[in-house]
Structure formats: structure tokens, C-alpha cells
Amino acid sequence: MPVVRVALPIPLPQLFDYLAEDASAADIGHCVRVPFGHGEKSGLILALPERTELDPARLKPVAYIQRDVPALPPDWIELVEFTACYYHAPLGEVIALALPPGLRRAKAPAKRRKAKTRAPDDAPPPAAALPTLTAGQAAALATCCAAEGFAAWLLAGVTGSGKTEVYLRLAANALAAGKQVLMLVPEIALTPQLEARVHDRFPAAHIVSLHSALAPGARARGFVQALTGEADIVLGTRLAVFAPLPRPGLFLIDEEHDASYKQQEGIRYSARDLAIWRAHQHGVAVVLGSATPALESWRHAQDGRYRLLTLPARARAAALPTVKTVDTRRCRLDEGFGPQLLAALAAHLERGEQSLVFLNRRGYAPVLSCPACGWVSQCPHCSANRVVHLADRRLRCHHCGAEAPIPRACPVCGNQDIHPYGYGTQRIEAKLKTLFPSARILRLDRDAARTRARWESLLATIAAGEADILVGTQMMAKGHDFPLLTLVGVLGADASLHAADFRAPERLFQQLMQVGGRAGRAELPGEVLIQTEYPEHPLYRCLTRHDFAAFAALELDARHAAAFPPFSFQAMLKADAPQLADAVDFLRQARQLAAKYAHATSAVRVFDPVPMRLTRLARRERAQLLLEADRRAALQDFLSRWLEEVRALRPPRELRWQVDVDPLEV
Ligand code: ADP
Ligand code: ZN
Ligand code: ZN
């Protein structure tokens, strides 16, 4: 009787064999339900082995092979196999991650969707007139279109340079050639404008959105439409990189520097890097776009692995906004605002233009404290303070969510005179309301935009010109195009200047350039004011000159000197447990195992286990062990062998550990 080999979502690297009476090679790539332990599990058939190492008499039969959904093709199985191999994750778990949860319940569409294939007498929906390309856009397109086969393009275009127009033209070419397009965006909900633009441009195309906020049924349906080739464009977030595409023609990655492309829990894959791998697998182009490329990508463009396309000027606006630093050591701040920023806000308000005050910290104040005894509103579960939320009078931990009412008096000494310290968006909003009582002030952060509908209505209010001053977090830094927005004021940026993470300056520069890039995108000129105590800091100097290349060169020099990525390759073993000693002890044992590979360890540096910066999170103590190598292959080779032994360790039951390849936070 035929045997099928199945990948199951369990934390073990092996595959499992089952009997399947009527199975044939055509079943490879089908979902299957099998008995496992005392219950059943769903998995994927990967092979029909000639022989099985187990006694066939002891094999159990499969419960059900789901043949009404088309099989996942071999190139898709290669993709998940590569992911499992590169990120050192069990294949069955990668498959469970890559397949939408509702897929097993999904039915293949009975009929092609008729609405999308136009009847002859049915006039095509009028497509909007295409804008005349800017010189930069035309040149980038010409270069890109002249190439054939695999190429990774880095489209480095200043904010407002019209990168989206380049994506859309390239997508049009691919569609015209009968191919599918995969377009990845950081967070669909943040930029409904982009989704609308894609739909407007290709009214006759079948466009599928894939993101985690979709209901399981919709996500499974979109996935199947990609798989059957019915979908022409798949537009999605990180997880959409696993959409099967029978005729892929183009991969697009918007805002390729965005950290949300890297999954930060479970299997820590990078959707950007996997998309590049897929483009290579299929011999097609991949375009990575950003105004502030990741330094890894920028370096690849310098050394010729990626090909650089630049858009040096804005498409609509005459110029980039003027960016100035305001030295706050020389002025008195009124609740965080210096006189220069206040004057600018008043002037833009007077002219009927919109302003944005950017502060990447939500809540009213980051901490509540008692000046008499020194009590602070620490989270009982994390090594972090709970944030004051005045709107609903709660203290809330932004890491674990623990909350409590704001106490009337110090819980330790009873002092009634306790104070919020520092500023969050709610406090800035309150201050602006007293300063500009006639202005329409709108706060945009995760508290104000709890649902997608609420967020979209906030964005619509701005687009309609029904708000004068916006107060926003990094949600406001991404992709938005508001023609009336002409002033961006930045508060509290210095806090990131001295962070310990070596990527902190890169992130700060990206964030400020992106948020500043929201100013003056149309006819009205834009202005950016950054309040800082370090106006001479090279990061700010590069920023005021819009000089990403100079900043990148400085940072890359520093990274080179310290042998940090992209000049080395890193992986991290992380452990967490109720007791810090257990986590550290486990990592120490793992480190000792590494010593065995003397020949490999000369190519791989294994550091000492250390507590993570946010050591305690949701009652668990966390530690990490960093590995570093000069060559990716050396690191990969080492990880394969070492992790096999780490898996054989027997840590305390409550301990959990994970491996993070190419970690973004170290
Ligand atoms: P980016 O993504 O590079 O920041 P966008 O794609 O949002 O920039 O484009 C910025 C603005 O310029 C948008 O309003 C867009 O419609 C407009 N735009 C883009 N290309 C052109 C063009 N060739 N002619 C006129 N307007 C354009
Ligand atoms: Zn006190
Ligand atoms: Zn907490």
C-alpha cells in the first residue's frame, strides 16, 4: 500500500509516514489530516517514499487527503524548505505558518470570478489618465525594463519621488506579459491610499490582499486564488511572501527597510529576504524601494549585488522640505515645545495649512512618580515602567499590557502629590489644545486608532482638510501623501540617539527622514523642525541636508570598524524562563556545546550569554547568546550542527528557547 510522507506542525525536524490506499504522486503538495497522538493533525504531503524505515504494519492510515484545493507546487515546497533550512525551524512549523489557518476549510473556487473577465460589450472601467513620468522615473523604468532574468533592484528615491508610480508601471508590464505580481507593503492598514491606487490603476485585474487582519476565510480564499493563478496581483504584508504563484513575473517590496518585514516571534523570517530568494528562484526581477534603504541593502547596491536606481527629486513638489534643527539648550521649553516650533505652528495654522507634531511615544507620560519616596509606576511583570494614560485614567504597560487605575496617592508613602514625568502624545495633544484653542487637533496613535475603520476615518479627516494640527507616532511616518501637510515638528528624537542597539541611529534616521518626508509633498513648500540638544550631531547634519548617502557612509564606516552587519552575519539564541538563572544556564550549556566545533568556532564568534535589555517581559526573564561570523555560509554550517545538539539538551520544563537568524535587535 502506498505510503505518504507528511510534514506536521510540531517542533521536531522529522517527517512522518502514513498509509494512504489511493495515494499517487499527484497527492504531493496536498493538505492531509492524519492521526497523531490521541488526536488528529493537519499537515502537508511532501513525498511518496519508496521505502519507509518503520514497519509498514505499524503505520497508521491517513484520515483524509484534501484534494479539492489544488496541490501546492514544487517551487512552493522548495520555498518553505529553504525557509526551514535558513531559519533553522522545523519544516512542518514553517508550512503551518505559510499556509493560511483557514485553508483546510477552504474550497477551491467553483468558477472563475466572472466579474473580472469582461464581456465584449462591457466597456472596461475607465482607467485614470497616467501621469507623465518624471525624468527620474523614466530613466529608472528604462534601465529596469532593459534587463532580463533575475535582478535585484534597489529603488532609492527621495520621499515623494513617485516610487509607487514606478512600481505600478513595472506591474503593468508584468501583467501585460500574462504574469503575476507580488507586492509587499509593511502594514496595509497604515496606507489604505496605496491599496486604492493599485485598484484604480488596474481596474480589470484580479487583486488579492493578504494580511493578518483578514478573516480566516478571506485569507484562505486569497491564498487559493494566488495558487490557482486567478489572482493577478497579490498585495500584502510579510506573510504574503508565502503566496504560491504559478506564473510569477515581478516582486515588489515597498519601504524595504521597514522592520515589520522581519517576524519577531516564532519563526523569525524576513519577508524581504525571502522575496529576493523567490525572485532568484524564478529568474525574475525584484524591486526594493525606499527613501532610506536598510544599510544591508545599501551596501549590496554599493558592491554590485543589487543594482541601484535613484529618484533624486520629488515628482509633484518643487523641492524637498527644508529641514532645520532647533537647539533646545538655548530656549525655554513650554511642555516640550520651544518658541520656534510654536511660532511655526501658528504661522502654518494662519495660512490654513496642516502641521504634524511627531513624537514616537503614546500615552500621556511615560511614568508616574512620587517625589517624596521615589516610587515609580513600574510594571509588576516587566522591567519597564507603566505609562500614564490620562484619557481613560489608567497606568498601562506597553510591553505586556498589564494595567491598573491611576492611584490617587503614592501606593508606598501615601503622598498625594504624585506626578507624571515626560511627554507622550496625549500630553502634547492637551497642550496644543490650550495653545491653539481654535485649531482642529487630531491625535494619531494606536490608542486613537484602535480599529482599521477608525484609522481610515482619521486619515480621511486629514485628507479632507478637516484637521489643522496632527499629533502622531510612527504610524504617521509611513507612506502617507497629504498635500496640505506642510510642517512637521519633531519632539523627543534625542532619546534614540544614545540607545545601545547598533541599529538605533539607522532607525532614527529612517524614521525622521520618513516623517519629515510627509511635509510639502504637493504644491505647497514643506518645512521640518527637529528639536534637539545635539544640533551638531552628524545624524542631524546629514538629515538637514537630505543626505542619506553621507549618513549611510558614516554608519557603514562605524559598522565596518566594529565588524557589525552588514560586515558580519549574526544569529541569536534566546531563552526565557521564570528564573533568569535558568535562562542563562541553558545558554551557557549551549555555549559549551559550541566549543566542540573548534574548527568551526574559529570562523564563528560565540559571545557570552547576557540578560536581554528588557530582561523581564510578562513575568519571564530573558537572556540571549550572540553568534557572529564573517561569512554567511560559515554561520549557517555552524548553526545546523550546533542546534542539533542544542535540541538534545534537557532544560527545565518552563524554559523556552528560539533561534533568530539575522536578528534586527541585538
Ligand atoms: P514616494 O512613494 O516615492 O514617497 P509617491 O509614489 O507617494 O512617492 O508619490 C508622491 C506624489 O507624487 C503622489 O501624490 C503621486 O501621485 C505624485 N506623482 C508620482 N509620480 C508623478 C508624476 N510622474 N507626475 C505627477 N505626479 C506624480
Ligand atoms: Zn511615595
Ligand atoms: Zn509589563
Side-chain angles (χ1 to χ4, degrees):
M1 195 187 287
V3 171
V4 291
R5 189 155 288 168
V6 177
L8 290 175
I10 49 168
L12 293 172
Q14 78 244 38
L15 304 174
F16 297 85
D17 290 350
Y18 289 90
L19 297 172
E21 205 166 343
D22 56 346
S24 72
D27 286 317
I28 295 175
H30 276 299
C31 291
V32 64
R33 236 171 135 73
V34 294
F36 191 84
H38 296 298
E40 280 190 357
K41 276 192 186 297
S42 295
L44 193 74
I45 300 177
L46 290 182
L48 262 69
E50 302 265 308
R51 255 193 311 269
T52 167
E53 271 146 42
L54 299 171
D55 174 4
R58 296 189 51 207
L59 289 183
K60 293 183 184 157
V62 302
Y64 169 63
I65 298 178
Q66 194 196 355
R67 296 193 174 100
D68 49 356
V69 171
L72 287 148
D75 70 285
W76 190 87
I77 292 175
E78 258 174 60
L79 168 67
V80 287
E81 281 173 346
F82 171 78
T83 307
C85 174
Y86 187 80
Y87 294 102
H88 299 274
L91 179 57
E93 291 200 330
V94 174
I95 290 171
L97 165 90
L99 288 176
L103 184 65
R104 276 164 252 131
R105 290 186 297 279
K107 296 281 170 278
K111 267 194 302 183
R112 292 275 168 129
R113 280 245 297 260
K114 275 288 178 299
K116 299 294 171 185
T117 47
R118 281 175 277 111
D121 55 321
D122 200 359
L130 299 185
T132 313
L133 294 175
T134 63
Q137 287 169 332
L141 275 168
T143 312
C144 204
C145 293
E148 271 176 47
F150 169 75
W153 301 94
L154 181 62
L155 177 63
V158 298
T159 55
S161 58
K163 293 183 286 295
T164 313
E165 188 61 36
V166 176
Y167 305 145
L168 294 176
R169 300 287 175 115
L170 290 170
N173 290 348
L175 295 185
K179 305 283 188 175
Q180 290 172 295
V181 177
L182 177 68
M183 180 168 188
L184 296 181
V185 294
E187 279 156 274
I188 274 191
L190 287 187
T191 49
Q193 269 181 339
L194 177 67
E195 209 178 352
R197 271 179 82 182
V198 176
H199 280 271
D200 287 352
R201 181 62 61 90
F202 303 110
H206 188 161
I207 301 164
V208 155
S209 290
L210 282 181
H211 52 88
S212 55
L214 288 177
R219 202 179 133 192
R221 215 160 29 245
F223 188 91
V224 171
Q225 285 163 353
L227 169 64
T228 57
E230 195 185 344
D232 301 306
I233 300 179
V234 176
L235 175 63
T237 51
R238 172 174 79 218
L239 58 86
V241 78
F242 292 111
L245 303 167
R247 40 187 178 90
L250 176 67
F251 292 83
L252 298 169
I253 307 162
D254 189 27
E255 309 291 3
E256 64 89 27
H257 65 278
D258 199 287
S260 73
Y261 286 125
K262 182 86 161 47
Q263 172 127 316
Q264 295 290 4
E265 72 218 351
I267 298 163
R268 291 166 157 81
Y269 67 97
S270 158
R272 175 192 63 200
D273 296 351
L274 289 180
I276 297 167
W277 186 88
R278 289 190 76 177
H280 185 261
Q281 176 192 30
H282 291 284
V284 302
V286 53
V287 180
L288 292 73
S290 178
T292 51
L295 290 180
E296 279 84 355
S297 306
W298 185 248
R299 162 116 175 116
H300 283 326
Q302 309 274 294
D303 68 17
R305 275 183 54 151
Y306 297 171
R307 296 158 76 176
L308 186 63
L309 304 165
T310 48
L311 301 177
R314 284 190 154 179
R316 281 175 75 188
L320 286 164
T322 55
V323 180
K324 286 198 206 115
T325 49
V326 179
D327 189 345
T328 51
R329 292 167 307 182
R330 307 222 172 119
C331 59
R332 274 192 50 147
L333 294 183
D334 180 9
E335 298 253 327
F337 288 97
Q340 216 172 325
L341 179 52
L342 289 178
L345 285 167
H348 284 253
L349 184 62
E350 181 80 1
R351 294 205 295 268
E353 297 171 14
Q354 289 173 329
S355 302
L356 165 66
V357 177
F358 174 77
L359 173 64
N360 202 19
R361 197 186 295 134
R362 65 195 170 89
Y364 183 82
V367 64
L368 185 68
S369 169
C370 169
C373 75
W375 172 82
V376 291
S377 55
Q378 224 211 318
C379 175
H381 314 308
C382 304
S383 32
N385 290 327
R386 279 181 299 183
V387 174
V388 183
H389 283 255
L390 220 48
D392 50 358
R393 301 205 57 84
R394 309 287 285 175
L395 291 177
R396 195 169 286 135
C397 175
H398 286 187
H399 297 282
C400 74
E403 46 177 280
I406 295 177
R408 297 192 179 281
C410 172
V412 174
C413 74
N415 173 18
Q416 304 219 333
D417 197 21
I418 49 178
H419 299 292
Y421 285 91
Y423 300 95
T425 45
Q426 290 178 5
R427 191 169 197 168
I428 293 301
E429 178 194 21
K431 180 68 187 173
L432 284 168
K433 281 186 171 155
T434 64
L435 287 168
F436 303 102
S438 67
R440 295 163 299 177
I441 294 165
L442 207 59
R443 177 163 54 85
L444 299 112
D445 55 24
R446 271 203 284 136
D447 299 313
R450 287 197 182 281
T451 63
R452 177 163 182 178
R454 179 81 192 115
W455 174 243
E456 288 186 7
S457 98
L458 288 170
L459 294 181
T461 306
I462 306 171
E466 286 162 10
D468 302 309
I469 304 179
L470 321 171
V471 182
T473 55
Q474 48 88 26
M475 285 177 91
M476 278 304 291
K478 308 196 176 186
H480 311 291
D481 196 39
F482 299 120
L484 278 178
L485 181 61
T486 51
L487 171 66
V488 172
V490 176
L491 306 183
D494 287 346
S496 314
L497 221 44
H498 311 295
D501 189 336
F502 73 86
R503 281 194 179 82
E506 176 184 4
R507 274 198 289 270
L508 178 61
F509 188 89
Q510 286 165 343
Q511 196 168 61
L512 295 184
M513 196 140 180
Q514 294 290 346
V515 75
R518 298 314 110 203
R521 291 169 71 85
E523 284 69 31
L524 300 166
E527 178 183 7
V528 181
L529 293 177
I530 302 171
Q531 292 194 170
T532 171
E533 295 186 3
Y534 306 90
E536 301 302 316
H537 195 289
L539 185 149
Y540 291 133
R541 301 195 71 129
C542 292
L543 204 62
T544 54
R545 297 197 311 257
H546 303 282
D547 201 344
F548 173 79
F551 170 75
L554 275 177
E555 269 307 288
L556 284 172
D557 276 351
R559 301 256 187 113
H560 189 244
F564 283 143
F567 301 95
S568 65
F569 301 90
Q570 295 180 330
M572 187 98 85
L573 187 64
K574 302 182 185 184
D576 61 88
Q579 303 296 326
L580 183 61
D582 287 338
V584 172
D585 193 50
F586 170 78
L587 295 178
R588 253 194 217 116
Q589 289 178 44
R591 192 179 191 285
Q592 271 160 19
L593 292 176
K596 272 206 226 160
Y597 307 113
H599 60 288
T601 41
S602 65
V604 177
R605 299 179 283 283
V606 184
F607 291 81
D608 282 325
V610 289
M612 286 174 68
R613 217 162 289 134
L614 184 73
T615 308
R616 194 168 147 80
L617 176 69
R619 299 181 200 214
R620 298 185 67 87
E621 305 282 345
R622 312 182 309 152
Q624 65 187 37
L625 172 66
L626 179 67
L627 305 148
E628 207 176 75
D630 296 332
R631 288 184 316 111
R632 203 187 286 278
L635 182 63
Q636 281 293 332
D637 185 48
F638 173 83
L639 286 173
S640 305
R641 288 183 288 158
W642 177 58
L643 288 173
E644 201 167 311
E645 299 207 27
V646 172
R647 269 183 209 108
L649 287 174
R650 288 280 161 257
R653 209 163 48 85
E654 334 77 79
L655 183 137
R656 293 184 306 217
W657 63 271
Q658 312 94 36
V659 58
D660 188 351
V661 178
D662 304 329
L664 275 190
E665 280 169 34
V666 298

Coordinates of all heavy atoms in Angstrom, one line a residue, residues 304-359:
G304 N 27.5 46.0 -5.8 CA 27.0 45.4 -7.1 C 26.1 44.2 -7.1 O 25.7 43.7 -8.1
R305 N 25.8 43.7 -5.9 CA 24.9 42.6 -5.8 C 23.5 43.0 -6.2 O 22.7 42.3 -6.7 CB 24.9 42.0 -4.4 CG 26.0 41.0 -4.2 CD 25.9 40.4 -2.8 NE 24.5 39.9 -2.6 CZ 24.3 38.9 -1.8 NH1 25.3 38.3 -1.2 NH2 23.1 38.4 -1.6
Y306 N 23.1 44.2 -5.7 CA 21.9 44.8 -6.2 C 22.2 45.9 -7.1 O 23.3 46.5 -7.1 CB 21.1 45.5 -5.0 CG 20.6 44.5 -3.9 CD1 20.1 45.0 -2.7 CD2 20.7 43.1 -4.1 CE1 19.7 44.2 -1.7 CE2 20.3 42.3 -3.1 CZ 19.8 42.8 -1.9 OH 19.4 42.0 -0.9
R307 N 21.3 46.3 -8.0 CA 21.5 47.4 -8.9 C 20.7 48.6 -8.5 O 19.5 48.5 -8.2 CB 21.2 46.9 -10.3 CG 22.1 45.7 -10.7 CD 21.6 44.9 -11.8 NE 21.7 45.5 -13.1 CZ 21.3 44.9 -14.2 NH1 20.8 43.6 -14.2 NH2 21.4 45.5 -15.4
L308 N 21.4 49.7 -8.5 CA 20.8 50.9 -7.9 C 20.1 51.7 -8.9 O 20.6 52.0 -10.0 CB 21.9 51.7 -7.3 CG 21.5 53.0 -6.5 CD1 20.7 52.6 -5.3 CD2 22.8 53.7 -6.0
L309 N 18.8 52.1 -8.6 CA 18.1 53.0 -9.4 C 17.8 54.2 -8.4 O 17.3 54.0 -7.3 CB 16.7 52.4 -9.8 CG 16.8 51.1 -10.6 CD1 15.4 50.5 -10.6 CD2 17.2 51.4 -12.0
T310 N 18.0 55.4 -8.9 CA 17.8 56.6 -8.0 C 16.7 57.5 -8.5 O 16.7 57.8 -9.7 CB 19.0 57.4 -7.7 OG1 19.7 57.6 -8.9 CG2 20.0 56.6 -6.8
L311 N 15.9 58.0 -7.6 CA 15.0 59.1 -8.0 C 15.4 60.3 -7.1 O 14.9 60.3 -5.9 CB 13.5 58.7 -7.7 CG 13.0 57.5 -8.4 CD1 11.5 57.1 -8.0 CD2 13.0 57.7 -10.0
P312 N 16.1 61.2 -7.6 CA 16.7 62.2 -6.8 C 15.8 63.4 -6.5 O 16.0 64.2 -5.5 CB 17.9 62.7 -7.5 CG 17.6 62.4 -9.0 CD 16.7 61.2 -9.0
A313 N 14.7 63.5 -7.2 CA 13.8 64.7 -7.0 C 12.4 64.3 -6.8 O 11.9 63.2 -7.2 CB 13.9 65.6 -8.2
R314 N 11.6 65.1 -6.1 CA 10.2 64.9 -5.9 C 9.4 65.0 -7.2 O 9.8 65.7 -8.1 CB 9.6 65.8 -4.9 CG 10.1 65.5 -3.5 CD 9.3 66.3 -2.4 NE 9.3 65.5 -1.2 CZ 8.7 65.9 -0.1 NH1 8.2 67.1 0.0 NH2 8.7 65.2 1.0
A315 N 8.3 64.2 -7.3 CA 7.5 64.2 -8.5 C 6.6 65.4 -8.7 O 6.6 66.0 -9.7 CB 6.7 62.9 -8.5
R316 N 5.9 65.7 -7.6 CA 5.0 66.9 -7.7 C 5.6 68.1 -7.2 O 5.5 69.2 -7.7 CB 3.7 66.5 -7.0 CG 2.8 65.6 -7.7 CD 1.6 65.3 -6.8 NE 0.6 66.4 -6.7 CZ -0.4 66.3 -5.8 NH1 -0.6 65.3 -5.1 NH2 -1.2 67.4 -5.7
A317 N 6.1 68.0 -6.0 CA 6.6 69.2 -5.3 C 7.9 69.7 -6.0 O 8.6 69.0 -6.6 CB 6.9 68.9 -3.8
A318 N 8.1 71.0 -5.9 CA 9.3 71.6 -6.5 C 10.5 71.2 -5.7 O 11.6 71.1 -6.3 CB 9.1 73.2 -6.4
A319 N 10.4 70.9 -4.5 CA 11.6 70.6 -3.7 C 11.3 69.8 -2.5 O 10.2 69.6 -2.1 CB 12.3 72.0 -3.2
L320 N 12.4 69.3 -1.9 CA 12.2 68.6 -0.6 C 12.0 69.6 0.5 O 12.3 70.8 0.3 CB 13.5 67.8 -0.3 CG 13.7 66.5 -1.2 CD1 15.1 66.0 -1.1 CD2 12.7 65.4 -0.7
P321 N 11.4 69.3 1.6 CA 11.2 70.3 2.6 C 12.5 70.8 3.2 O 13.5 70.1 3.1 CB 10.4 69.5 3.7 CG 10.7 68.1 3.5 CD 11.0 67.9 2.0
T322 N 12.5 72.0 3.7 CA 13.7 72.5 4.4 C 13.7 71.8 5.8 O 12.6 71.7 6.4 CB 13.7 74.0 4.6 OG1 12.5 74.4 5.2 CG2 13.8 74.7 3.2
V323 N 14.8 71.3 6.2 CA 14.9 70.6 7.5 C 15.8 71.4 8.3 O 17.0 71.6 7.9 CB 15.4 69.1 7.3 CG1 15.5 68.4 8.6 CG2 14.5 68.4 6.3
K324 N 15.4 71.8 9.5 CA 16.2 72.5 10.4 C 16.2 71.9 11.8 O 15.2 71.4 12.2 CB 15.7 74.0 10.6 CG 16.0 74.8 9.4 CD 15.8 76.3 9.7 CE 15.4 77.1 8.5 NZ 14.1 77.7 8.6
T325 N 17.3 72.0 12.5 CA 17.3 71.6 13.9 C 17.1 72.9 14.7 O 17.5 74.0 14.4 CB 18.7 71.0 14.3 OG1 19.7 71.8 13.8 CG2 18.9 69.6 13.7
V326 N 16.5 72.7 15.9 CA 16.2 73.8 16.8 C 17.0 73.4 18.1 O 16.7 72.3 18.7 CB 14.7 73.9 17.1 CG1 14.6 75.1 18.1 CG2 14.0 74.2 15.8
D327 N 17.9 74.2 18.5 CA 18.8 73.9 19.6 C 18.0 74.2 20.9 O 17.8 75.3 21.3 CB 20.0 74.7 19.6 CG 21.0 74.3 20.7 OD1 20.6 73.6 21.6 OD2 22.2 74.7 20.6
T328 N 17.5 73.1 21.6 CA 16.7 73.3 22.8 C 17.5 73.7 24.0 O 16.9 73.9 25.1 CB 15.8 72.1 23.0 OG1 16.6 71.0 23.1 CG2 14.7 71.9 22.0
R329 N 18.8 73.7 23.9 CA 19.6 74.1 25.1 C 19.5 75.6 25.3 O 19.8 76.1 26.3 CB 21.0 73.7 25.0 CG 21.2 72.2 25.0 CD 22.6 71.8 24.5 NE 22.9 72.4 23.2 CZ 24.0 72.3 22.6 NH1 25.0 71.5 23.1 NH2 24.2 72.8 21.4
R330 N 19.2 76.3 24.2 CA 19.2 77.7 24.2 C 17.8 78.3 24.3 O 17.7 79.5 24.1 CB 19.8 78.2 22.9 CG 21.1 77.6 22.6 CD 22.1 78.5 22.1 NE 23.4 77.8 22.1 CZ 24.1 77.6 21.0 NH1 23.7 78.1 19.9 NH2 25.3 76.9 21.1
C331 N 16.8 77.5 24.6 CA 15.5 78.1 24.7 C 14.7 77.5 25.9 O 15.1 76.4 26.3 CB 14.7 78.0 23.4 SG 14.4 76.4 22.9
R332 N 13.7 78.2 26.3 CA 12.9 77.6 27.4 C 11.8 76.8 26.7 O 11.1 77.3 25.8 CB 12.3 78.7 28.2 CG 13.2 79.1 29.3 CD 12.4 80.0 30.3 NE 11.1 79.4 30.7 CZ 10.6 79.5 31.8 NH1 11.2 80.3 32.7 NH2 9.4 78.9 32.1
L333 N 11.6 75.6 27.2 CA 10.6 74.7 26.6 C 9.3 74.9 27.4 O 9.3 74.9 28.7 CB 11.0 73.3 26.6 CG 12.2 72.9 25.7 CD1 12.4 71.4 25.8 CD2 11.9 73.3 24.3
D334 N 8.2 75.0 26.7 CA 6.9 75.0 27.4 C 6.2 73.7 27.1 O 5.8 73.4 26.0 CB 6.1 76.2 26.8 CG 4.7 76.3 27.4 OD1 4.5 75.6 28.4 OD2 3.9 77.1 26.9
E335 N 6.2 72.8 28.1 CA 5.7 71.5 28.0 C 6.2 70.8 26.7 O 5.5 70.2 25.9 CB 4.2 71.5 27.9 CG 3.5 72.0 29.2 CD 2.9 70.9 30.0 OE1 2.3 70.0 29.5 OE2 2.9 71.0 31.3
G336 N 7.5 70.9 26.5 CA 8.1 70.2 25.4 C 8.3 71.0 24.1 O 9.0 70.7 23.2
F337 N 7.5 72.2 24.1 CA 7.6 73.0 22.8 C 8.5 74.2 23.0 O 8.4 74.9 24.0 CB 6.2 73.6 22.5 CG 5.3 72.5 22.0 CD1 4.3 71.9 22.8 CD2 5.3 72.2 20.7 CE1 3.5 71.0 22.4 CE2 4.4 71.2 20.2 CZ 3.5 70.6 21.0
G338 N 9.4 74.4 22.0 CA 10.3 75.6 22.0 C 9.5 76.7 21.3 O 8.6 76.4 20.5
P339 N 10.0 77.9 21.4 CA 9.2 79.0 20.8 C 9.2 79.0 19.3 O 8.3 79.4 18.6 CB 10.0 80.3 21.3 CG 11.2 79.8 22.0 CD 11.0 78.3 22.3
Q340 N 10.3 78.5 18.7 CA 10.4 78.4 17.3 C 9.3 77.5 16.6 O 8.7 77.9 15.7 CB 11.8 77.9 16.9 CG 12.3 78.6 15.6 CD 13.8 78.2 15.4 OE1 14.5 78.0 16.4 NE2 14.2 78.1 14.2
L341 N 9.2 76.3 17.3 CA 8.2 75.4 16.8 C 6.8 76.0 17.0 O 5.9 75.9 16.1 CB 8.3 74.0 17.5 CG 7.3 72.9 17.1 CD1 7.3 72.7 15.6 CD2 7.7 71.6 17.8
L342 N 6.6 76.6 18.1 CA 5.2 77.2 18.4 C 4.9 78.3 17.4 O 3.8 78.4 16.8 CB 5.2 77.8 19.8 CG 5.1 76.7 20.9 CD1 5.1 77.4 22.3 CD2 3.9 75.8 20.7
A343 N 5.9 79.1 17.0 CA 5.7 80.2 16.0 C 5.4 79.6 14.7 O 4.5 80.0 14.0 CB 6.9 81.1 16.0
A344 N 6.1 78.5 14.3 CA 5.9 77.9 13.0 C 4.5 77.3 13.0 O 3.8 77.4 12.0 CB 6.9 76.8 12.8
L345 N 4.1 76.6 14.1 CA 2.7 76.0 14.1 C 1.7 77.1 13.9 O 0.7 77.0 13.2 CB 2.5 75.3 15.5 CG 3.2 74.0 15.6 CD1 3.2 73.5 17.1 CD2 2.6 72.9 14.7
A346 N 1.9 78.3 14.6 CA 0.9 79.4 14.5 C 0.9 79.9 13.0 O -0.2 80.2 12.5 CB 1.3 80.5 15.4
A347 N 2.1 80.0 12.4 CA 2.1 80.5 11.1 C 1.4 79.6 10.1 O 0.7 80.1 9.2 CB 3.6 80.8 10.7
H348 N 1.7 78.3 10.2 CA 1.0 77.4 9.2 C -0.5 77.3 9.5 O -1.3 77.2 8.5 CB 1.7 76.0 9.4 CG 3.0 75.9 8.7 ND1 3.3 75.2 7.5 CD2 4.2 76.5 9.1 CE1 4.5 75.4 7.2 NE2 5.1 76.1 8.1
L349 N -0.9 77.4 10.7 CA -2.3 77.4 11.1 C -3.0 78.7 10.4 O -4.0 78.6 9.8 CB -2.5 77.5 12.6 CG -3.9 77.4 13.2 CD1 -4.5 76.1 12.8 CD2 -3.8 77.6 14.7
E350 N -2.3 79.8 10.6 CA -2.8 81.0 10.0 C -3.0 80.9 8.5 O -4.0 81.4 7.9 CB -1.7 82.1 10.3 CG -2.0 83.5 9.8 CD -2.9 84.2 10.7 OE1 -3.3 83.7 11.8 OE2 -3.3 85.4 10.4
R351 N -2.1 80.2 7.8 CA -2.2 80.0 6.4 C -3.2 78.9 6.0 O -3.3 78.6 4.8 CB -0.8 79.7 5.8 CG 0.2 80.8 5.9 CD 1.3 80.7 4.8 NE 2.1 79.5 5.0 CZ 3.2 79.4 5.7 NH1 3.7 80.5 6.3 NH2 3.9 78.3 5.7
G352 N -3.8 78.3 6.9 CA -4.7 77.2 6.6 C -4.0 75.9 6.2 O -4.6 75.1 5.5
E353 N -2.8 75.7 6.5 CA -2.1 74.5 6.2 C -2.0 73.6 7.4 O -2.2 74.0 8.5 CB -0.6 74.9 5.7 CG -0.7 75.7 4.4 CD 0.7 76.3 4.0 OE1 1.7 75.8 4.5 OE2 0.7 77.2 3.2
Q354 N -1.7 72.3 7.1 CA -1.7 71.3 8.2 C -0.3 71.1 8.7 O 0.7 71.3 8.0 CB -2.2 70.0 7.7 CG -3.7 70.0 7.4 CD -4.1 68.7 6.7 OE1 -3.4 68.0 6.0 NE2 -5.4 68.3 7.0
S355 N -0.2 70.8 10.0 CA 1.1 70.5 10.7 C 1.0 69.2 11.3 O -0.1 68.8 11.7 CB 1.4 71.6 11.7 OG 1.4 72.9 11.1
L356 N 2.1 68.6 11.5 CA 2.2 67.3 12.2 C 3.3 67.5 13.3 O 4.4 67.9 13.0 CB 2.6 66.2 11.3 CG 3.1 64.9 11.9 CD1 2.0 64.2 12.7 CD2 3.6 63.9 10.9
V357 N 2.9 67.2 14.6 CA 3.9 67.1 15.6 C 4.1 65.6 15.9 O 3.2 64.9 16.2 CB 3.3 67.8 16.9 CG1 4.4 67.6 18.0 CG2 3.1 69.2 16.7
F358 N 5.4 65.2 15.6 CA 5.8 63.8 15.7 C 6.4 63.5 17.0 O 7.4 64.2 17.4 CB 6.7 63.5 14.6 CG 7.3 62.1 14.6 CD1 6.5 61.0 14.2 CD2 8.6 61.9 15.0 CE1 7.0 59.7 14.3 CE2 9.1 60.6 15.0 CZ 8.3 59.5 14.7
L359 N 5.9 62.6 17.7 CA 6.5 62.1 19.0 C 6.2 60.6 19.1 O 5.1 60.2 19.1 CB 5.9 62.8 20.2 CG 6.3 62.3 21.6 CD1 7.8 62.5 21.8 CD2 5.5 63.0 22.7

